[in-house]
Amino acid sequence: MLIDAVNGPEAFGRWVAISLSDGSCDTKLYPTKEDAVRFQLHETQCAYVCLTGIPTLGEMRYFLDTCEQLYDQGLKLADPATYVNPETLL
């Protein structure tokens, strides 16, 4: 992810919110998932990713699509206590 590359080691372990509608990001690094969720207008319109490495484009697309499908089914992944590791979805 570009935000990971731009911020370097400071990005590791931080959270970003990615819009499910267009893949955009507010470019802010949040210390916790709870903070990332709190600063969004509509929490279920974003996927929340903890930066612990650089996923491939295919992995990120799969993660975003899966989050959107789960939200559409009524699940609330934005719950700050819920953590979905993108690698477990592959």
Side-chain angles (χ1 to χ4, degrees), residues 36-57:
V37 170
R38 186 168 17 121
F39 286 100
Q40 305 312 307
L41 292 175
H42 303 285
E43 63 184 51
T44 58
Q45 292 180 352
C46 292
Y48 303 93
V49 178
C50 185
L51 301 174
T52 57
I54 301 176
T56 66
L57 184 58

Side-chain angles (χ1 to χ4, degrees), residues 8 20 38 83:
L20 294 173
R38 186 168 17 121
Y83 174 75

